[in-house]
Amino acid sequence: GRFRWYAFEGGWILDADRVWVAIGGDVTPPTQFRIFVQRDGGAREIETQVGYLRLQDMLPLLQLSDTVPAGVRAALATARPGGDLYNLYLHLGPDGARPAIPYLYARFAQLGTAGAWHGLPPVSGLSGVLRGTPAAAHLALDSRTAGVAAGDVFRRPLQARIRGRLDWSRDGGDWRLSVPALDLDNADITARARLSITGAPGRRPFVDLVADFKDGDIAHAAAYLPAGKMHPKLVAWLDRALVGGRVTSGGLLLYGDLADFPFDHHRGTFQVQFDVAHGVLAFHKDWPRVEEMQAHITFRGRSLEVEAAHGRMLDSTIAPATARIADLTAKPALLSVVGRAEGPAGDALHIATDTPLNAKLGKYLKGLTAGGRCALALDLELPLMHPASRVDGTLDFQDGTLDF
Protein backbone atom coordinates (compact mmCIF):
# COMPACT_ATOMS: atom_id res chain seq x y z
CA GLY A 1 0.00 0.00 0.00
CA ARG A 2 0.90 3.70 0.12
CA PHE A 3 1.81 5.22 3.48
CA ARG A 4 2.38 8.81 4.57
CA TRP A 5 3.60 9.68 8.06
CA TYR A 6 4.22 13.16 9.37
CA ALA A 7 4.80 14.70 12.78
CA PHE A 8 3.59 17.88 14.40
CA GLU A 9 4.17 19.42 17.79
CA GLY A 10 2.94 16.91 20.37
CA GLY A 11 1.91 14.16 17.98
CA TRP A 12 1.86 12.46 14.59
CA ILE A 13 -0.46 11.24 11.80
CA LEU A 14 -0.22 8.14 9.63
CA ASP A 15 -2.27 8.00 6.42
CA ALA A 16 -2.44 4.79 4.36
CA ASP A 17 -4.20 3.93 1.11
CA ARG A 18 -4.70 0.78 -0.95
CA VAL A 19 -3.35 -1.37 1.84
CA TRP A 20 -3.59 -5.13 1.79
CA VAL A 21 -2.06 -7.80 3.98
CA ALA A 22 -1.23 -11.43 3.24
CA ILE A 23 -2.00 -13.70 6.21
CA GLY A 24 -0.89 -17.22 5.40
CA GLY A 25 -2.37 -17.86 1.98
CA ASP A 26 -5.21 -15.38 2.45
CA VAL A 27 -4.95 -11.82 1.09
CA THR A 28 -7.14 -9.17 2.69
CA PRO A 29 -9.17 -6.80 0.48
CA PRO A 30 -7.52 -3.38 -0.02
CA THR A 31 -8.46 -0.64 2.43
CA GLN A 32 -7.39 2.78 3.71
CA PHE A 33 -6.89 4.12 7.22
CA ARG A 34 -5.70 7.10 9.28
CA ILE A 35 -4.16 7.08 12.77
CA PHE A 36 -3.90 10.32 14.74
CA VAL A 37 -1.88 10.44 17.97
CA GLN A 38 -1.45 13.49 20.20
CA ARG A 39 0.01 13.97 23.67
CA ASP A 40 -1.29 16.61 26.03
CA GLY A 41 1.00 16.67 29.01
CA GLY A 42 1.19 13.10 30.27
CA ALA A 43 -2.05 12.02 28.58
CA ARG A 44 -2.37 10.53 25.13
CA GLU A 45 -5.23 10.81 22.64
CA ILE A 46 -5.65 8.38 19.75
CA GLU A 47 -8.06 8.65 16.84
CA THR A 48 -8.36 5.95 14.18
CA GLN A 49 -10.41 5.82 10.96
CA VAL A 50 -10.59 2.74 8.75
CA GLY A 51 -12.51 2.48 5.48
CA TYR A 52 -12.93 -1.30 5.46
CA LEU A 53 -11.82 -4.08 7.76
CA ARG A 54 -12.46 -7.79 8.14
CA LEU A 55 -12.81 -8.43 11.84
CA GLN A 56 -11.38 -11.93 11.64
CA ASP A 57 -8.17 -10.51 10.12
CA MET A 58 -7.63 -8.37 13.21
CA LEU A 59 -7.99 -11.15 15.79
CA PRO A 60 -4.33 -12.28 15.69
CA LEU A 61 -3.17 -8.67 16.20
CA LEU A 62 -5.63 -8.09 19.06
CA GLN A 63 -4.41 -11.25 20.77
CA LEU A 64 -0.84 -9.90 20.69
CA SER A 65 -1.71 -6.42 21.98
CA ASP A 66 -1.16 -5.74 25.70
CA THR A 67 -3.55 -2.79 25.43
CA VAL A 68 -6.47 -5.23 25.11
CA PRO A 69 -7.56 -6.55 28.54
CA ALA A 70 -6.87 -10.24 29.14
CA GLY A 71 -10.58 -10.96 29.66
CA VAL A 72 -11.43 -9.44 26.28
CA ARG A 73 -8.69 -11.43 24.58
CA ALA A 74 -10.03 -14.63 26.15
CA ALA A 75 -13.58 -13.81 25.01
CA LEU A 76 -12.37 -13.13 21.45
CA ALA A 77 -10.46 -16.42 21.38
CA THR A 78 -13.55 -18.32 22.48
CA ALA A 79 -16.21 -16.60 20.36
CA ARG A 80 -13.98 -16.09 17.28
CA PRO A 81 -15.99 -13.16 15.84
CA GLY A 82 -15.87 -12.28 12.18
CA GLY A 83 -17.54 -10.00 9.65
CA ASP A 84 -17.07 -6.86 7.60
CA LEU A 85 -16.63 -3.43 9.24
CA TYR A 86 -17.06 -0.22 7.25
CA ASN A 87 -16.25 3.42 8.10
CA LEU A 88 -14.78 2.42 11.44
CA TYR A 89 -14.03 5.35 13.76
CA LEU A 90 -12.35 4.87 17.15
CA HIS A 91 -11.46 7.64 19.59
CA LEU A 92 -9.49 7.04 22.78
CA GLY A 93 -9.23 10.21 24.82
CA PRO A 94 -7.18 10.79 27.95
CA ASP A 95 -8.84 8.65 30.63
CA GLY A 96 -12.01 8.43 28.55
CA ALA A 97 -12.33 12.20 28.28
CA ARG A 98 -14.40 14.15 25.74
CA PRO A 99 -17.43 11.84 25.95
CA ALA A 100 -19.31 14.00 23.40
CA ILE A 101 -17.11 12.45 20.70
CA PRO A 102 -18.21 8.88 19.90
CA TYR A 103 -15.89 6.32 21.39
CA LEU A 104 -16.66 3.90 18.56
CA TYR A 105 -18.61 3.97 15.33
CA ALA A 106 -18.82 1.27 12.68
CA ARG A 107 -21.16 -0.04 10.04
CA PHE A 108 -21.04 -3.81 9.92
CA ALA A 109 -22.28 -6.63 7.70
CA GLN A 110 -22.35 -10.42 8.05
CA LEU A 111 -21.12 -10.12 11.62
CA GLY A 112 -21.09 -13.33 13.64
CA THR A 113 -19.24 -15.70 15.91
CA ALA A 114 -17.73 -19.06 15.02
CA GLY A 115 -17.71 -20.33 18.61
CA ALA A 116 -20.11 -20.44 21.54
CA TRP A 117 -19.64 -17.97 24.40
CA HIS A 118 -21.01 -18.25 27.94
CA GLY A 119 -23.45 -20.92 26.75
CA LEU A 120 -24.75 -18.78 23.89
CA PRO A 121 -24.67 -20.54 20.49
CA PRO A 122 -22.78 -19.03 17.52
CA VAL A 123 -24.62 -16.36 15.50
CA SER A 124 -24.24 -15.20 11.91
CA GLY A 125 -25.45 -12.70 9.33
CA LEU A 126 -25.86 -9.64 11.58
CA SER A 127 -25.83 -6.28 9.79
CA GLY A 128 -26.31 -2.74 11.07
CA VAL A 129 -24.59 0.20 12.76
CA LEU A 130 -22.75 0.35 16.10
CA ARG A 131 -22.17 3.52 18.15
CA GLY A 132 -20.55 3.44 21.54
CA THR A 133 -18.87 5.34 24.36
CA PRO A 134 -17.08 3.94 27.41
CA ALA A 135 -20.38 4.05 29.32
CA ALA A 136 -22.93 3.13 26.65
CA ALA A 137 -23.36 1.46 23.26
CA HIS A 138 -26.17 1.52 20.71
CA LEU A 139 -26.68 -1.13 18.05
CA ALA A 140 -29.10 -0.67 15.14
CA LEU A 141 -29.82 -4.00 13.40
CA ASP A 142 -31.17 -4.56 9.91
CA SER A 143 -30.23 -8.13 9.04
CA ARG A 144 -31.92 -10.02 6.21
CA THR A 145 -30.55 -13.48 7.04
CA ALA A 146 -29.43 -13.49 10.67
CA GLY A 147 -28.92 -16.95 12.09
CA VAL A 148 -28.41 -18.83 15.34
CA ALA A 149 -26.46 -22.08 15.22
CA ALA A 150 -28.02 -25.23 16.64
CA GLY A 151 -25.37 -25.67 19.31
CA ASP A 152 -26.56 -27.87 22.18
CA VAL A 153 -29.96 -26.14 22.33
CA PHE A 154 -31.65 -26.43 18.92
CA ARG A 155 -31.57 -29.28 16.43
CA ARG A 156 -30.86 -27.17 13.38
CA PRO A 157 -29.79 -23.56 12.73
CA LEU A 158 -32.51 -20.90 12.91
CA GLN A 159 -32.69 -17.99 10.48
CA ALA A 160 -34.79 -14.84 10.35
CA ARG A 161 -34.79 -11.23 9.24
CA ILE A 162 -34.12 -9.03 12.27
CA ARG A 163 -34.72 -5.29 12.60
CA GLY A 164 -34.44 -3.24 15.77
CA ARG A 165 -32.23 -1.42 18.26
CA LEU A 166 -30.16 -2.63 21.20
CA ASP A 167 -28.93 -0.24 23.90
CA TRP A 168 -26.29 -1.13 26.46
CA SER A 169 -25.27 1.06 29.39
CA ARG A 170 -23.03 0.82 32.43
CA ASP A 171 -23.13 2.68 35.73
CA GLY A 172 -20.22 1.63 37.89
CA GLY A 173 -20.43 -2.15 38.06
CA ASP A 174 -24.13 -2.26 37.16
CA TRP A 175 -25.10 -2.81 33.52
CA ARG A 176 -28.27 -2.93 31.46
CA LEU A 177 -29.14 -4.26 28.01
CA SER A 178 -32.35 -2.84 26.59
CA VAL A 179 -34.14 -3.75 23.35
CA PRO A 180 -37.11 -1.37 22.96
CA ALA A 181 -38.43 -3.18 19.87
CA LEU A 182 -37.06 -6.06 17.81
CA ASP A 183 -38.88 -7.38 14.73
CA LEU A 184 -38.22 -10.91 13.50
CA ASP A 185 -39.78 -12.77 10.61
CA ASN A 186 -39.17 -15.79 8.41
CA ALA A 187 -41.26 -18.32 6.52
CA ASP A 188 -42.50 -19.86 9.77
CA ILE A 189 -43.46 -16.91 12.01
CA THR A 190 -43.57 -13.12 12.48
CA ALA A 191 -42.72 -11.67 15.90
CA ARG A 192 -42.01 -8.41 17.75
CA ALA A 193 -40.18 -8.47 21.08
CA ARG A 194 -39.17 -6.13 23.89
CA LEU A 195 -36.27 -7.15 26.12
CA SER A 196 -34.46 -5.84 29.18
CA ILE A 197 -31.57 -7.58 30.95
CA THR A 198 -29.91 -6.08 34.03
CA GLY A 199 -26.88 -7.24 35.95
CA ALA A 200 -24.52 -6.27 38.75
CA PRO A 201 -21.36 -7.64 40.38
CA GLY A 202 -22.15 -10.81 42.33
CA ARG A 203 -25.71 -10.94 40.99
CA ARG A 204 -27.06 -13.08 38.18
CA PRO A 205 -28.69 -11.32 35.19
CA PHE A 206 -32.41 -10.59 35.47
CA VAL A 207 -34.49 -10.96 32.28
CA ASP A 208 -37.70 -9.15 31.32
CA LEU A 209 -38.91 -10.33 27.88
CA VAL A 210 -42.27 -9.68 26.23
CA ALA A 211 -43.02 -10.84 22.68
CA ASP A 212 -46.02 -10.96 20.36
CA PHE A 213 -46.12 -13.29 17.37
CA LYS A 214 -48.44 -14.32 14.53
CA ASP A 215 -48.58 -16.24 11.24
CA GLY A 216 -46.89 -19.29 12.74
CA ASP A 217 -46.66 -22.72 11.13
CA ILE A 218 -47.15 -25.46 13.74
CA ALA A 219 -45.69 -28.09 11.39
CA HIS A 220 -42.29 -26.38 11.84
CA ALA A 221 -42.64 -25.71 15.57
CA ALA A 222 -40.26 -28.54 16.48
CA ALA A 223 -37.33 -26.60 15.00
CA TYR A 224 -37.83 -23.84 17.59
CA LEU A 225 -38.01 -26.11 20.63
CA PRO A 226 -34.92 -26.02 22.91
CA ALA A 227 -34.64 -29.77 22.40
CA GLY A 228 -31.17 -29.94 23.93
CA LYS A 229 -32.63 -28.80 27.28
CA MET A 230 -35.71 -31.07 27.17
CA HIS A 231 -36.29 -34.75 27.96
CA PRO A 232 -35.80 -36.80 24.76
CA LYS A 233 -39.12 -38.61 25.18
CA LEU A 234 -40.97 -35.31 25.53
CA VAL A 235 -39.26 -34.01 22.39
CA ALA A 236 -40.30 -37.18 20.53
CA TRP A 237 -43.90 -36.76 21.67
CA LEU A 238 -44.05 -33.09 20.62
CA ASP A 239 -42.52 -34.00 17.23
CA ARG A 240 -45.28 -36.53 16.66
CA ALA A 241 -48.12 -34.56 18.25
CA LEU A 242 -47.68 -31.18 16.49
CA VAL A 243 -48.72 -32.17 12.97
CA GLY A 244 -50.02 -28.93 11.48
CA GLY A 245 -52.09 -25.77 11.75
CA ARG A 246 -51.59 -22.01 11.89
CA VAL A 247 -50.80 -19.81 14.87
CA THR A 248 -53.01 -16.79 14.29
CA SER A 249 -51.67 -14.78 17.25
CA GLY A 250 -49.83 -15.29 20.49
CA GLY A 251 -47.54 -13.86 23.13
CA LEU A 252 -44.61 -14.74 25.38
CA LEU A 253 -43.69 -13.45 28.84
CA LEU A 254 -40.40 -14.29 30.56
CA TYR A 255 -39.63 -12.42 33.78
CA GLY A 256 -37.01 -13.44 36.32
CA ASP A 257 -33.61 -14.97 36.88
CA LEU A 258 -33.06 -17.73 34.30
CA ALA A 259 -31.29 -19.81 36.93
CA ASP A 260 -34.74 -20.18 38.60
CA PHE A 261 -36.48 -21.32 35.37
CA PRO A 262 -39.18 -22.67 35.17
CA PHE A 263 -39.92 -20.71 38.38
CA ASP A 264 -41.43 -23.47 40.50
CA HIS A 265 -41.21 -21.28 43.60
CA HIS A 266 -42.90 -18.26 41.98
CA ARG A 267 -39.71 -16.21 41.75
CA GLY A 268 -40.48 -15.38 38.15
CA THR A 269 -42.91 -15.95 35.29
CA PHE A 270 -42.74 -17.99 32.10
CA GLN A 271 -45.84 -18.04 29.94
CA VAL A 272 -46.55 -18.61 26.26
CA GLN A 273 -50.11 -18.30 24.93
CA PHE A 274 -51.32 -18.57 21.34
CA ASP A 275 -54.42 -19.30 19.26
CA VAL A 276 -54.43 -22.09 16.69
CA ALA A 277 -56.61 -22.44 13.60
CA HIS A 278 -57.02 -25.66 11.59
CA GLY A 279 -54.74 -27.48 14.00
CA VAL A 280 -53.88 -31.16 13.70
CA LEU A 281 -52.88 -32.89 16.95
CA ALA A 282 -51.76 -36.53 17.13
CA PHE A 283 -51.65 -36.77 20.92
CA HIS A 284 -51.05 -40.55 21.01
CA LYS A 285 -49.99 -43.06 18.36
CA ASP A 286 -52.79 -45.47 19.32
CA TRP A 287 -55.60 -42.88 19.28
CA PRO A 288 -57.20 -41.05 16.33
CA ARG A 289 -55.76 -37.60 15.85
CA VAL A 290 -57.72 -34.37 16.32
CA GLU A 291 -58.14 -32.29 13.16
CA GLU A 292 -59.61 -28.89 12.24
CA MET A 293 -58.90 -27.78 15.78
CA GLN A 294 -59.60 -24.22 16.90
CA ALA A 295 -57.84 -23.85 20.22
CA HIS A 296 -56.11 -21.63 22.74
CA ILE A 297 -52.82 -23.12 23.96
CA THR A 298 -50.94 -22.05 27.09
CA PHE A 299 -47.48 -23.03 28.34
CA ARG A 300 -47.07 -21.81 31.94
CA GLY A 301 -44.01 -22.90 33.91
CA ARG A 302 -43.86 -26.67 33.50
CA SER A 303 -47.48 -27.05 32.39
CA LEU A 304 -49.29 -27.21 29.05
CA GLU A 305 -53.01 -26.59 28.55
CA VAL A 306 -55.05 -26.82 25.34
CA GLU A 307 -58.57 -25.36 25.36
CA ALA A 308 -60.25 -26.52 22.15
CA ALA A 309 -63.38 -24.65 21.12
CA HIS A 310 -63.86 -26.89 18.10
CA GLY A 311 -62.27 -29.90 16.47
CA ARG A 312 -62.92 -33.18 14.70
CA MET A 313 -61.95 -36.75 15.56
CA LEU A 314 -62.87 -39.26 12.86
CA ASP A 315 -66.32 -38.01 11.75
CA SER A 316 -67.31 -36.64 15.15
CA THR A 317 -67.30 -33.00 16.24
CA ILE A 318 -65.46 -32.02 19.42
CA ALA A 319 -66.82 -29.02 21.36
CA PRO A 320 -65.54 -28.09 23.80
CA ALA A 321 -62.55 -30.00 25.22
CA THR A 322 -59.57 -29.33 27.48
CA ALA A 323 -56.26 -31.18 27.47
CA ARG A 324 -53.65 -30.59 30.17
CA ILE A 325 -50.18 -31.77 31.13
CA ALA A 326 -49.45 -30.49 34.63
CA ASP A 327 -45.71 -31.24 34.46
CA LEU A 328 -44.00 -31.58 31.10
CA THR A 329 -40.82 -32.80 32.82
CA ALA A 330 -42.50 -35.64 34.75
CA LYS A 331 -41.51 -39.22 33.94
CA PRO A 332 -43.91 -40.03 32.46
CA ALA A 333 -45.81 -36.81 31.76
CA LEU A 334 -49.53 -37.32 32.35
CA LEU A 335 -52.01 -36.06 29.73
CA SER A 336 -55.55 -35.46 31.00
CA VAL A 337 -58.40 -34.80 28.56
CA VAL A 338 -61.93 -33.73 29.45
CA GLY A 339 -64.34 -33.07 26.62
CA ARG A 340 -67.45 -33.85 24.65
CA ALA A 341 -67.89 -35.20 21.12
CA GLU A 342 -70.97 -35.75 18.95
CA GLY A 343 -71.13 -37.82 15.79
CA PRO A 344 -71.88 -41.22 14.26
CA ALA A 345 -72.27 -44.00 16.81
CA GLY A 346 -69.72 -45.99 14.83
CA ASP A 347 -67.01 -43.53 15.88
CA ALA A 348 -67.59 -44.35 19.56
CA LEU A 349 -67.38 -48.05 18.76
CA HIS A 350 -64.18 -47.46 16.79
CA ILE A 351 -62.59 -45.64 19.72
CA ALA A 352 -63.58 -48.44 22.10
CA THR A 353 -62.19 -51.25 19.94
CA ASP A 354 -59.28 -49.73 17.96
CA THR A 355 -57.48 -47.91 20.79
CA PRO A 356 -55.89 -49.13 24.05
CA LEU A 357 -59.45 -49.29 25.42
CA ASN A 358 -59.83 -52.55 23.48
CA ALA A 359 -57.88 -54.35 26.20
CA LYS A 360 -60.74 -53.71 28.62
CA LEU A 361 -63.76 -53.41 26.34
CA GLY A 362 -62.93 -55.44 23.26
CA LYS A 363 -64.22 -58.78 24.53
CA TYR A 364 -67.61 -57.20 25.26
CA LEU A 365 -67.93 -55.40 21.95
CA LYS A 366 -66.56 -58.04 19.58
CA GLY A 367 -68.76 -58.37 16.50
CA LEU A 368 -70.89 -55.37 17.47
CA THR A 369 -71.91 -52.72 14.92
CA ALA A 370 -73.59 -49.42 15.74
CA GLY A 371 -75.82 -47.01 13.81
CA GLY A 372 -77.40 -43.63 14.41
CA ARG A 373 -75.74 -40.83 16.31
CA CYS A 374 -74.35 -40.47 19.81
CA ALA A 375 -72.82 -37.97 22.22
CA LEU A 376 -69.72 -38.94 24.18
CA ALA A 377 -68.60 -37.24 27.40
CA LEU A 378 -64.98 -38.25 28.06
CA ASP A 379 -62.56 -37.95 31.00
CA LEU A 380 -59.22 -39.48 30.01
CA GLU A 381 -55.83 -39.76 31.74
CA LEU A 382 -53.05 -40.99 29.49
CA PRO A 383 -49.40 -41.24 30.57
CA LEU A 384 -47.27 -40.29 27.59
CA MET A 385 -44.87 -42.97 26.34
CA HIS A 386 -46.64 -45.46 28.64
CA PRO A 387 -49.37 -48.02 27.83
CA ALA A 388 -51.48 -47.48 30.97
CA SER A 389 -54.54 -45.21 30.88
CA ARG A 390 -57.68 -44.27 32.81
CA VAL A 391 -60.97 -43.53 31.07
CA ASP A 392 -64.33 -42.39 32.44
CA GLY A 393 -67.15 -41.59 30.06
CA THR A 394 -70.83 -41.68 29.24
CA LEU A 395 -72.38 -42.43 25.85
CA ASP A 396 -75.83 -41.09 24.91
CA PHE A 397 -77.49 -42.54 21.78
CA GLN A 398 -79.89 -40.66 19.54
CA ASP A 399 -81.98 -42.97 17.31
CA GLY A 400 -79.14 -45.46 17.70
CA THR A 401 -78.99 -49.11 16.76
CA LEU A 402 -76.75 -51.89 17.99
CA ASP A 403 -76.37 -55.12 16.00
CA PHE A 404 -74.76 -58.16 17.60
Side-chain angles (χ1 to χ4, degrees):
R2 298 190 307 177
F3 299 86
R4 182 188 177 200
W5 179 88
Y6 53 96
F8 59 90
E9 184 177 355
W12 54 267
I13 296 175
L14 173 62
D15 285 324
D17 188 28
R18 288 183 281 184
V19 177
W20 58 268
V21 179
I23 303 176
D26 188 19
V27 178
T28 66
T31 187
Q32 68 279 349
F33 66 84
R34 161 174 280 207
I35 301 176
F36 169 91
V37 178
Q38 178 175 281
R39 290 188 176 276
D40 183 6
R44 183 173 63 175
E45 181 179 359
I46 301 175
E47 188 174 272
T48 302
Q49 301 176 55
V50 183
Y52 171 75
L53 183 67
R54 288 195 312 197
L55 183 56
Q56 58 269 35
D57 295 336
M58 291 297 297
L59 293 183
L61 298 177
L62 293 174
Q63 291 295 338
L64 295 174
S65 174
D66 58 4
T67 62
V68 180
V72 175
R73 293 201 303 270
L76 292 174
T78 301
R80 303 193 305 279
D84 301 324
L85 302 180
Y86 300 90
N87 303 326
L88 174 67
Y89 173 82
L90 176 64
H91 175 268
L92 300 176
D95 298 323
R98 300 172 64 183
I101 299 178
Y103 174 76
L104 174 67
Y105 170 90
R107 184 168 59 87
F108 59 90
Q110 299 304 311
L111 192 66
T113 55
W117 182 68
H118 281 274
L120 299 175
V123 297
S124 62
L126 298 176
S127 300
V129 174
L130 171 66
R131 296 178 174 87
T133 70
H138 309 279
L139 187 68
L141 287 173
D142 189 357
S143 306
R144 294 183 178 275
T145 55
V148 178
D152 61 352
V153 178
F154 303 106
R155 286 176 287 180
R156 66 173 176 83
L158 305 180
Q159 286 194 327
R161 177 169 183 175
I162 300 178
R163 299 175 301 278
R165 190 182 88 236
L166 287 76
D167 300 320
W168 173 86
S169 61
R170 184 182 64 185
D171 184 5
D174 297 348
W175 60 269
R176 176 185 178 91
L177 175 65
S178 176
V179 184
L182 191 68
D183 294 316
L184 305 93
D185 63 83
N186 59 20
D188 298 330
I189 200 165
T190 299
R192 165 166 282 200
R194 175 190 63 76
L195 171 67
S196 174
I197 305 177
T198 56
R203 192 180 72 193
R204 294 172 298 191
F206 191 94
V207 177
D208 180 2
L209 170 64
V210 178
D212 297 315
F213 50 88
K214 61 181 181 179
D215 299 331
D217 186 346
I218 289 181
H220 297 158
Y224 300 89
L225 297 175
K229 305 298 183 182
M230 300 167 64
H231 193 282
K233 288 187 176 181
L234 175 60
V235 174
W237 179 76
L238 290 170
D239 283 345
R240 183 180 65 249
L242 303 176
V243 179
R246 300 297 302 178
V247 174
T248 56
S249 63
L252 177 150
L253 172 62
L254 176 60
Y255 184 83
D257 185 333
L258 290 183
D260 296 326
F261 184 87
F263 309 117
D264 294 328
H265 302 291
H266 308 291
R267 295 175 180 171
T269 301
F270 169 69
Q271 181 173 290
V272 181
Q273 297 188 74
F274 54 94
D275 295 317
V276 173
H278 309 294
V280 180
L281 178 66
F283 63 89
H284 195 281
K285 62 183 180 64
D286 295 327
W287 286 75
R289 65 187 191 180
V290 179
E291 300 179 324
E292 294 299 322
M293 183 175 65
Q294 313 291 318
H296 183 75
I297 298 178
T298 302
F299 289 86
R300 183 179 289 109
R302 297 178 186 269
S303 70
L304 164 65
E305 186 172 84
V306 180
E307 299 174 282
H310 174 78
R312 180 171 56 83
M313 179 181 286
L314 302 176
D315 292 320
S316 297
T317 299
I318 300 172
T322 300
R324 177 175 172 80
I325 301 176
D327 186 352
L328 289 166
T329 65
K331 300 177 183 179
L334 182 64
L335 171 67
S336 62
V337 180
V338 177
R340 183 177 177 84
E342 297 183 1
D347 281 0
L349 192 61
H350 174 82
I351 291 174
T353 57
D354 293 341
T355 69
L357 297 180
N358 182 65
K360 295 181 178 180
L361 303 177
K363 61 183 178 181
Y364 304 110
L365 302 176
K366 185 177 181 180
L368 185 69
T369 60
R373 297 187 65 79
C374 69
L376 172 66
L378 185 66
D379 184 346
L380 168 70
E381 286 188 351
L382 189 67
L384 304 179
M385 291 77 67
H386 195 281
S389 62
R390 180 193 66 79
V391 179
D392 289 328
T394 59
L395 192 61
D396 296 326
F397 284 93
Q398 300 173 357
D399 299 322
T401 61
L402 293 175
D403 296 325
F404 295 89

